[in-house]
Amino acid sequence: MALHPLAQALHGTLDTHPSLPYFFSHRGRGIYFPKQGILGQTAEAKGKAINATIGIALDDDGVPLHLPSIQSHIDLPPAEVYPYAPGYGVPELRAAWQDRIRCNNPSLKAAISLPVVTSGLTHALSVAGYLFIDEGDDLIIPQPMWDNYDLLFQHTYGARIRSFPLFHNDEFNIAAFRVALSESSRKKIVLLNFPNNPTGYTPLREEAAAMVDAIRRSAEEGNRIIVLIDDAYFGLNYDERAFSESFFAPLADLHENVLAVKIDGASKEEFAWGFRVAFLTYGIRGLTPEQAEALADKTAGAIRATVSNAPLLQQHLMLRAFNSPTYDEEKRKNAAMLRERYEAAMRALREPAHEDFFRMLPCNSGYFFCVELREGIDAEQVRQMLLADFDTGVIALGSRLLRIAFSSVPVADIPRLVANMIEVCKKTTHTQPRSRGSLPRTEG
Amino acid sequence: MALHPLAQALHGTLDTHPSLPYFFSHRGRGIYFPKQGILGQTAEAKGKAINATIGIALDDDGVPLHLPSIQSHIDLPPAEVYPYAPGYGVPELRAAWQDRIRCNNPSLKAAISLPVVTSGLTHALSVAGYLFIDEGDDLIIPQPMWDNYDLLFQHTYGARIRSFPLFHNDEFNIAAFRVALSESSRKKIVLLNFPNNPTGYTPLREEAAAMVDAIRRSAEEGNRIIVLIDDAYFGLNYDERAFSESFFAPLADLHENVLAVKIDGASKEEFAWGFRVAFLTYGIRGLTPEQAEALADKTAGAIRATVSNAPLLQQHLMLRAFNSPTYDEEKRKNAAMLRERYEAAMRALREPAHEDFFRMLPCNSGYFFCVELREGIDAEQVRQMLLADFDTGVIALGSRLLRIAFSSVPVADIPRLVANMIEVCKKTTHTQPRSRGSLPRTEG
């Protein structure tokens, strides 16, 4: 099918880069932001004395009509609460988020795109799938992984998830990562989610360097690699040896065959999970301002096609927070509480009492830790017994992993949580015959 | 590909209805809500003394961690602002919205599903596309139509839009609708958007009855028909002769071959465009409670796969408004302001001065009216001249239509708006040779 003239124009710009035109899916190649349509015409009419373009309702003074029963709960002006947000997101927020990316990743010096606002992190991942994944494309993800990647990428866009075990001897499994990179098709899509859900692992500095090096070598061999960097838990690191920047920093300017896609948002970083505000930001060696804008245009097109725009109120609440003098201190305080819980969990797991039943997978960041149960102990059975007999909730992943959200357990309860887990494991080993367990895997 | 066991279970339920199993797209057939995964296990652990399932962060008293710099702008408790909303939406809001559907559509007596909350109306339409539209499926929509249907359904899901002219002799074009129903494939998808964007038309009672009758006849011939009812502008009617209920009311119990999908939301009904809260609700003759739940489960699965969940804060703000004693009066007041503008526009267009240049298309509801320019007057040129010389913004749709949002123009400015349009048309007919114009069409 012929491209729409606006999509053609975008690809005219993208074609000036040696690799950018080749990353898109069929659906992604055709998408464009409808600048000439209602949205573009509305933008051109902004500020006119008589403006009959806007598909909202304004009172005689130009204030958005609204319901006082709603407004009484919010102290922002109606213009920051009720109108549609721009399809790309509120411009001030996009600029502020770009500043924060640079500020939090000091080694990032290259040109990057302005972040585009999506309706939460899942939506940012889905938009990346829309733009870049065709039916049958390989998607390389270490296991265990967040179970929703399966619905997001495999079920919705037809990706084939090629997983490899995240750990080998409790280190990042660099050999398996290299093999995965070498075995998949020539266009490769890699998903990196660190701090990791579910393990809470972030690669150490030297591991991160080796991963980046593996991607560089693959790119040098002529492969084109899209790296989706799911930074949901960015910034929550508890170990100085861990790589503290986003993988976006070393990848954004790595090679002209590597498109780095940063996916991050308010959910965890701003302690605002239900806000549904996240961002997509691009980096690639040789990116020009025009190409960066074309990438943002295509992204906004996919947003228009799926949700129109992200919630406005939360975008302004985030801006208000960024401009508050106490904001940094507030975030530090919350992060310190999570660190205390992490440390309490590590202390509790240092006791040798659990070693007959499970071992912790490497964990140095994020919200969670995982334990791998000894062969013959069934994760679902442990979970059920913890619920029924110990008033304790954990997540079972596959047959041998338990995921523990230390993020939501007070420090004082953490020793009891671990003790309960040990107690249940003891019981199950007395009540069931030992059998050879399968390898740990998560659903999906 | 084999269905996931959870999808199989849902289809086990849907298969107990004679038609329900046959409406789904390939993608829709496979989707399921991951009840056995992290979400289901988290639900089971709710209220436990130690709960390490939740992927958010709580303080030692179980209150969601948050930033005071944000909270200072909102007077709802943090539990209504920061956590993830349930994937199906806040239960109280789903129940309240279902009540409102019944209350606003007194003739609706049949069983319907509980509404599922999506991230705005566009997302509800997109989820419907996810569930029901396969590449190449026919989608019947009267023209002119909202331009985003093209990206939403044609570009994203591969639908073939089969349009027919909305009007014939300034009445709903029932003959063309019947032809469209008879010509498309055996599985038919129809989109009804009344009050209409862009024309502001709602069919009169007898026209609505004829439309429903046409759908019934097609169903009786053995066709399976999905009717997507885009009720974005529901309730804004200015003419007693217009059909005042949603088409969902007569379609929800019409025939076992007709699946009625109601798509509505806060954007226009609650004067909260940027809230991003909308709903998907199902009705079909013979619907059992179990089938209704299976439809909601599949819908929540598609939501999980695309955005995870809708914003929480706005769901609670809507609930607060519904429970406010002044809510009904507030809505009436806003609706009255829109009606005054509509009436001012109709008065201005009653003057014969414009008749040499354009005529209004039938309009009795909603936010907009459209004028069709006389042959030889170019819509884009008129729009540009209105912007440049008359400080006036309107929307050009194709070569011969202008869309005017009376919703955003004060009553006092409306005569001048119409006068400006006439003035520009006069100028263009003096400066350009008459040519035979093309038929009016909107982009997409």
Side-chain angles (χ1 to χ4, degrees), chain A residues 126-433:
Chain A
S126 180
V127 166
Y130 190 112
L131 293 173
F132 302 117
I133 298 180
D134 273 320
E135 185 92 26
D137 277 353
D138 286 331
L139 176 59
I140 300 170
I141 312 183
Q143 286 280 10
M145 67 172 196
W146 184 38
D147 63 354
N148 202 26
Y149 291 148
D150 187 36
L151 290 185
L152 259 167
F153 297 119
Q154 190 154 286
H155 187 75
T156 301
Y157 295 111
R160 284 190 309 183
I161 293 184
R162 294 179 69 99
S163 58
F164 66 93
L166 174 56
F167 297 117
H168 178 69
N169 290 340
D170 283 357
E171 294 177 347
F172 179 82
N173 194 344
I174 185 72
F177 183 53
R178 289 198 188 105
V179 170
L181 277 173
S182 70
E183 281 183 348
S184 69
S185 55
R186 206 153 178 82
K187 172 184 166 188
K188 298 169 194 300
I189 308 162
V190 176
L191 195 154
L192 300 179
N193 165 229
F194 302 109
N196 179 250
N197 175 3
T199 63
Y201 189 67
T202 292
L204 306 185
R205 283 172 214 284
E206 57 276 19
E207 291 176 327
M211 291 163 70
V212 171
D213 192 58
I215 294 169
R216 186 205 330 261
R217 281 166 195 269
S218 181
E220 284 169 355
E221 287 165 11
N223 298 304
R224 293 211 172 85
I225 308 165
I226 300 160
V227 189
L228 306 180
I229 300 152
D230 178 348
D231 276 343
Y233 299 85
F234 181 79
L236 297 167
N237 289 304
Y238 313 122
D239 180 343
E240 291 212 333
R241 296 171 306 157
F243 182 57
S244 63
E245 293 194 336
S246 164
F247 274 91
F248 187 66
L251 293 174
D253 191 32
L254 185 71
H255 193 283
E256 61 189 23
N257 281 345
V258 177
L259 176 63
V261 185
K262 189 178 197 320
I263 291 159
D264 52 15
S267 309
K268 278 90 180 178
E269 284 193 56
E270 310 300 330
F271 303 93
W273 308 272
F275 264 32
R276 315 324 291 145
V277 174
F279 303 88
L280 272 164
T281 311
Y282 301 96
I284 189 169
R285 171 159 289 190
L287 185 69
T288 67
E290 294 74 23
Q291 291 159 2
E293 210 178 306
L295 285 167
D297 287 344
K298 289 184 87 71
T299 306
I303 290 167
R304 173 80 175 159
T306 51
V307 303
S308 278
N309 42 63
L312 180 73
L313 169 55
Q314 282 85 346
Q315 295 186 53
H316 281 289
L317 287 170
M318 285 173 69
L319 271 174
R320 297 282 173 148
F322 293 167
N323 293 327
S324 156
T326 54
Y327 165 75
D328 287 328
E329 179 52 29
E330 291 166 18
K331 273 188 75 169
R332 258 196 301 276
K333 207 177 132 194
N334 286 357
M337 184 177 284
L338 294 184
R339 173 186 284 270
E340 282 166 23
R341 291 173 181 181
Y342 166 78
E343 287 170 352
M346 296 308 108
R347 275 195 305 277
L349 287 162
R350 229 170 273 142
E351 305 294 323
H354 70 276
E355 288 176 359
D356 287 345
F357 308 107
F358 54 79
R359 63 182 204 92
M360 192 185 71
L361 298 184
C363 171
N364 54 15
S365 60
Y367 275 35
F368 311 109
F369 68 86
C370 278
V371 302
E372 182 184 31
L373 298 171
R374 213 201 52 204
E375 275 186 26
I377 305 182
D378 179 66
E380 178 61 14
Q381 190 188 4
V382 171
R383 181 181 82 86
Q384 294 285 358
M385 288 174 68
L386 279 168
L387 280 177
D389 304 334
F390 290 83
D391 214 12
T392 296
V394 301
I395 298 286
L397 296 173
S399 59
R400 296 232 341 252
L401 285 190
L402 296 178
R403 187 191 81 173
I404 316 296
F406 58 78
S407 60
S408 58
V409 182
V411 164
D413 289 341
I414 285 176
R416 190 153 56 94
L417 166 62
V418 174
N420 290 350
M421 288 164 58
I422 293 170
E423 206 55 39
V424 163
C425 287
K426 263 186 203 161
K427 281 196 182 183
T428 66
T429 48
H430 287 139
T431 56
Q432 72 171 26

Side-chain angles (χ1 to χ4, degrees), chain B residues 383-405:
Chain B
R383 181 181 81 87
Q384 294 285 358
M385 287 174 69
L386 279 168
L387 280 177
D389 304 334
F390 290 84
D391 214 12
T392 296
V394 301
I395 298 286
L397 297 173
S399 58
R400 296 235 336 253
L401 285 189
L402 296 179
R403 187 190 81 174
I404 315 297

Side-chain angles (χ1 to χ4, degrees), chain B residues 106-419:
Chain B
S107 80
L108 174 66
K109 305 292 182 201
I112 61 173
S113 74
L114 257 186
V116 177
V117 180
T118 63
S119 196
L121 226 127
T122 301
H123 185 234
L125 292 161
S126 181
V127 166
Y130 191 111
L131 294 173
F132 302 117
I133 298 180
D134 273 320
E135 185 92 26
D137 278 352
D138 286 330
L139 175 59
I140 300 170
I141 312 183
Q143 286 280 12
M145 66 171 197
W146 184 38
D147 62 354
N148 202 27
Y149 291 147
D150 186 37
L151 290 185
L152 259 167
F153 296 119
Q154 189 153 287
H155 187 76
T156 301
Y157 295 111
R160 284 190 308 182
I161 293 183
R162 293 178 69 98
S163 58
F164 66 93
L166 173 56
F167 297 117
H168 178 70
N169 290 339
D170 283 356
E171 295 178 347
F172 180 82
N173 194 343
I174 186 71
F177 184 53
R178 289 198 188 105
V179 169
L181 277 173
S182 70
E183 282 184 347
S184 69
S185 54
R186 205 152 178 82
K187 172 183 166 189
K188 298 170 194 299
I189 308 162
V190 176
L191 195 154
L192 300 180
N193 166 228
F194 302 109
N196 179 250
N197 175 4
T199 62
Y201 190 67
T202 292
L204 306 185
R205 283 172 213 284
E206 57 276 18
E207 291 175 327
M211 291 163 70
V212 171
D213 192 58
I215 293 169
R216 186 206 328 262
R217 281 165 193 270
S218 181
E220 284 169 355
E221 287 165 11
N223 297 304
R224 293 211 172 84
I225 308 165
I226 300 161
V227 188
L228 307 179
I229 300 152
D230 177 347
D231 276 342
Y233 299 85
F234 181 78
L236 297 167
N237 289 305
Y238 313 122
D239 180 345
E240 292 212 331
R241 296 171 305 157
F243 182 57
S244 63
E245 294 195 336
S246 164
F247 274 91
F248 187 66
L251 293 174
D253 191 32
L254 184 70
H255 193 283
E256 61 189 23
N257 281 345
V258 177
L259 177 64
V261 184
K262 189 178 197 319
I263 291 158
D264 52 15
S267 309
K268 277 89 179 180
E269 284 192 56
E270 311 300 329
F271 303 92
W273 308 272
F275 264 32
R276 315 325 289 146
V277 174
F279 303 88
L280 271 163
T281 311
Y282 301 96
I284 189 169
R285 171 159 288 190
L287 185 70
T288 67
E290 295 74 23
Q291 291 159 2
E293 210 177 305
L295 285 168
D297 287 345
K298 290 184 86 71
T299 306
I303 290 167
R304 173 80 174 159
T306 51
V307 304
S308 278
N309 41 64
L312 180 72
L313 169 55
Q314 282 84 346
Q315 295 185 52
H316 281 289
L317 287 170
M318 285 172 69
L319 271 173
R320 297 281 173 149
F322 293 167
N323 293 327
S324 156
T326 53
Y327 166 74
D328 287 329
E329 180 51 30
E330 291 166 18
K331 273 188 74 169
R332 258 196 301 275
K333 207 177 132 194
N334 286 357
M337 185 177 285
L338 293 184
R339 174 186 284 269
E340 283 166 23
R341 291 173 182 181
Y342 165 78
E343 287 169 352
M346 295 309 108
R347 274 196 305 277
L349 287 161
R350 228 170 275 142
E351 304 294 323
H354 70 277
E355 288 176 359
D356 287 345
F357 308 108
F358 53 79
R359 64 182 203 94
M360 193 185 70
L361 298 184
C363 171
N364 53 15
S365 59
Y367 275 35
F368 311 110
F369 68 85
C370 277
V371 301
E372 183 184 30
L373 299 170
R374 212 200 52 205
E375 275 186 27
I377 305 182
D378 180 67
E380 178 62 14
Q381 190 188 3
V382 171
R383 181 181 81 87
Q384 294 285 358
M385 287 174 69
L386 279 168
L387 280 177
D389 304 334
F390 290 84
D391 214 12
T392 296
V394 301
I395 298 286
L397 297 173
S399 58
R400 296 235 336 253
L401 285 189
L402 296 179
R403 187 190 81 174
I404 315 297
F406 58 78
S407 60
S408 58
V409 182
V411 165
D413 289 342
I414 285 176
R416 190 153 55 96
L417 165 62
V418 174

